[in-house]
Amino acid sequence: DALTATPFSLAPGPVNVGRDAIDGRLDLSRDKWRLRAGYQQRDNGGTGAGVASALDPRGRSFGERISTDLTYQDVNFAPDLDVTAQASYLHITEQSNLTLFPPGANFGLGAFPDGVIGNPYKWERHLRFNMSAAYTGLQSHKLRFGVGTQDDDMYRTQETKNYTLVPIPGVGFLPAPLGSVVDVTDTAPFLRPHSRRVNYVYAQDEWAFTKDWYLTAGVRQDRYSDFGATTNPRVALVWETAYNLTSKLLYGRAFRPPSFSELYNINNPVGLGNPNLKPETNESVELAFAWQAASTLQANLNLFRYQMKDILRFVRDPATGISTAQNAGRQRGQGMEVELAWDANQSLRLSGNYAQQHSVDEATNQDAGNAPRHHVYARADWRFMPHWALDTQLNYVASRKREPLDTRLAIADYHTVDLTLRTQKQSSDWDFAAKVLNLFNADAREPSPAPGLIPNDLPLAPREWRLELRHKL
């Protein structure tokens, strides 16, 4: 309302996070063959705080995933040779019916009595095939090779909406009313159908080069039809330091390919695509220790550094106000994580971890923002009487900075406590659990996107009670 001088905002109000879920799995195997199939549906999905950072209590989404894969594995395909082949199919349907801005919204180009409505739909199918082989015929070496191909096809898109986008210099695109909801699939859709082919090959050698020392080295190349090839190595040096201590030094390079939306978005008020994008990359080095201090006590320590390049972001042009996907970021960071697990006695197990990290945006040399510098998770599992257990969980999040150029005050730390009472009857087909989430009703919040259209951030759920009853057929 402050931006548009209107009184129609629905804030303050609750976020819309409800959904209906259906999940099904089938897993069949015989001899060297395995067939798996799955169905996943998410219906009546809410839009959280709203796709455009404006509350949308009417917005709903539908998603459906149908998957199947057939695997053949012969561990004795030939002497010292294990061969695996897999073919898979995945079909995805995503349909969103959104009210981007509430009824009465007006951006100076005309009023929207029913709100700014956009209904983007898309359908995808993914075909994949891969083969791998492991060879152990060489002394002190275990070799693994693999090849694969996949076809990603967003074969259909559809959109209806009641607005058109008008470019305003220095501001960006603003919605102007069309008068009614119309089908713009053939004229001005958010995205047109696209497909990509990916072929890849990899090789790895696990070498026991001396007593208690192992070196694993591998490399993989992926070739994408829409942006080219990327090659990524990985190396791991493992030392069995003592009978109860293992030390590891690891290096790896990974990538994230640009999505269809980042490449090809058009007529989209949130951001436009860029077909000239490169993949985002991440190089990391990790030093890890696993210590079995006693039969009842285990500790792990991980130290890491990483460097991200060509980070994929939507960047706003101040001259036009238009946001376009770009390889526009570099980030570096380091940190550590400690894990402990202690079986105090036969009925009590204590576990937890502490993580500390510091990430820097190299363009500004400031904290990259949003991620906590300190994170503590602790858990106690207490079997206080036969067939009954009480689980307690503590989650503590602290020291989150804002993104560079976000001038809001730092987001507050928070801690939450969850309790779960459950049965543990091995001979019963029925399981019961009662849960209290956020026991002390903490005002816990996660950061909203910069520049802070939602100034007080995104609230997590208050105290919540749940009852679960499960029956094994």
Side-chain angles (χ1 to χ4, degrees), residues 323-363:
S323 294
T324 305
Q326 303 284 349
N327 290 110
R330 292 170 64 98
Q331 183 175 308
R332 69 179 186 274
Q334 63 277 326
M336 54 87 74
E337 182 174 8
V338 179
E339 296 178 291
L340 293 172
W342 177 38
D343 293 310
N345 54 50
Q346 292 185 346
S347 60
L348 179 62
R349 178 179 176 84
L350 303 176
S351 59
N353 61 68
Y354 165 71
Q356 182 272 332
Q357 66 86 33
H358 180 210
S359 299
V360 175
D361 181 277
E362 294 190 359

Side-chain angles (χ1 to χ4, degrees), residues 448-463:
S448 61
L453 296 177
I454 303 176
N456 295 321
D457 297 296
L458 303 172
L460 300 184
R463 184 185 296 115

Side-chain angles (χ1 to χ4, degrees), residues 246-268:
T246 300
S247 306
K248 299 179 182 180
L249 179 63
L250 306 100
Y251 164 80
R253 184 177 187 269
F255 75 100
R256 181 177 80 81
S259 67
F260 284 148
S261 296
E262 290 165 330
L263 287 167
Y264 307 121
N265 260 7
I266 53 178
N267 305 307
N268 190 303

